[in-house]
Amino acid sequence: MQHPSNGRPPRYPTSLGTSDASTITLLGHDLAGELMGQVGFGELALWLVTQRRPEPGEVRVFEAVLVALADHGFTPTAIAARLTYLSAPDSVQGALAAGLLGGGSRFLGVTEDCGAFLHEVVAGHAGRLPDDSDEEGWNALALETVRAARAGRRLVPGLGHPVHKVRDPRTPVLLRIAEENGHKGPHLRLFEAVGRVHPQVLGRTLPLNGAGVCGAALADLGLPVGLLRGFALLARAAGLLGHIAEEQRSPLGMDVYLSVDRNAEYVSPQHPTRQPTKE
């Protein structure tokens, strides 16, 4: 950017999009003539972030991740979106934003947390990683990783799920799609090995969380770990829009509100353990 003190107007460079009176340019291509109807939304989203057109295998893995993260039922994010729509039906954007704002460390955030955790290990062993076919080598690295996390009183992100106690059904499918498309890289291989060896350290067997596998898959696509939560939110936006549409067709936000309101019990701040008399 040039400073305005030189007499010229400031400049704000971007390699994404621009427009004039008759054309719209996106990523160096004519939007109407070269992209619309020829590029899928998932491909475009990946292209926008990486600034290069992804190859088909990358798109297939990326879109599988988006589908895996789109919706998971009545999670807090979905409830927040529905209740916000109940309160302000004139603000679809507010309801959608409310749901997205709820994507954090407990819901959706595991995608980024797991990807970042694995990336720290992978980057720290650059040049010394096992070969793809060396399962024992990956097991040894995973065992070292889990033991170090345990010693540091850190949780291993992506281990366990509040609903899928034995196996997250998304996990084997994502691993298979990544393998089929040549994008099962070190992050996925390490996380898969964590799934094999962690019982030796933790004394119990936990499933590999599908959202965590999504983070590993995105990291194997070379995407910045600091943006992984953004991709989870991109996926969940579709699910939240579905919840808002269903709320318009078959409202239940009022039932949720009334259920909480009618079953609330007031506890005096002076006697927090005393149960109030019900009328």
Side-chain angles (χ1 to χ4, degrees):
M1 185 184 76
Q2 296 185 16
H3 196 276
S5 62
N6 61 14
R8 299 176 183 176
R11 302 183 68 82
Y12 304 96
T14 177
S15 298
L16 298 177
T18 188
S19 62
D20 56 31
S22 59
T23 64
I24 302 173
T25 301
L26 185 63
L27 297 166
H29 293 265
D30 180 75
L31 176 69
E34 298 178 275
L35 300 181
M36 293 174 61
Q38 300 179 52
V39 175
F41 180 71
E43 179 181 357
L44 181 63
L46 195 52
W47 194 350
L48 284 165
V49 173
T50 63
Q51 294 281 287
R52 62 172 182 82
R53 187 165 189 172
E55 52 94 9
E58 292 175 306
V59 175
R60 185 153 188 260
V61 173
F62 182 68
E63 292 189 340
V65 168
L66 295 183
V67 171
L69 297 175
D71 183 66
H72 214 285
F74 283 115
T75 59
T77 59
I79 294 170
R82 286 181 180 251
L83 292 182
T84 302
Y85 182 78
L86 168 68
S87 181
D90 52 309
S91 179
V92 170
Q93 72 274 21
L96 188 60
L100 293 176
L101 288 171
S105 57
R106 291 187 176 177
F107 290 86
L108 286 179
V110 68
T111 297
E112 179 178 309
D113 295 342
C114 185
F117 176 83
L118 297 170
H119 188 69
E120 180 181 340
V121 177
V122 169
H125 288 76
R128 299 178 290 118
L129 292 171
D131 294 334
D132 289 351
S133 59
D134 184 7
E135 184 172 298
E136 288 306 311
W138 287 110
N139 286 349
L141 179 57
L143 196 57
E144 174 189 328
T145 299
V146 177
R147 283 173 173 163
R150 178 80 174 232
R153 298 183 178 276
R154 296 174 63 191
L155 294 175
V156 177
L159 270 184
H161 193 281
V163 176
H164 309 300
K165 300 297 185 181
V166 177
R167 187 184 76 163
D168 189 317
R170 299 169 294 183
T171 295
V173 178
L174 281 166
L175 288 169
R176 174 179 57 78
I177 291 173
E179 182 80 71
E180 290 174 350
N181 289 274
H183 290 287
K184 186 177 178 182
H187 301 85
L188 280 170
R189 294 186 188 281
L190 175 59
F191 195 44
E192 193 175 26
V194 167
R196 293 191 294 265
V197 307
H198 75 270
Q200 299 177 45
V201 181
L202 304 185
R204 56 180 177 148
T205 301
L206 298 170
L208 293 181
N209 188 307
V213 176
C214 286
L218 292 173
D220 274 343
L221 290 178
L223 297 171
V225 293
L227 288 180
L228 298 190
R229 188 172 300 183
F231 294 114
L233 294 173
L234 174 66
R236 189 52 57 90
L240 292 174
L241 197 57
H243 276 277
I244 295 169
E246 188 173 74
E247 190 65 24
Q248 291 178 339
R249 295 191 303 268
S250 305
L252 56 78
M254 183 64 77
D255 293 337
V256 174
Y257 157 61
L258 291 176
S259 177
V260 175
D261 183 67
R262 298 298 181 265
N263 291 286
E265 292 188 9
Y266 178 75
V267 178
S268 171
Q270 284 75 35
H271 304 285
T273 59
R274 181 181 300 172
Q275 295 298 316
T277 302
K278 294 185 179 179
E279 294 183 357

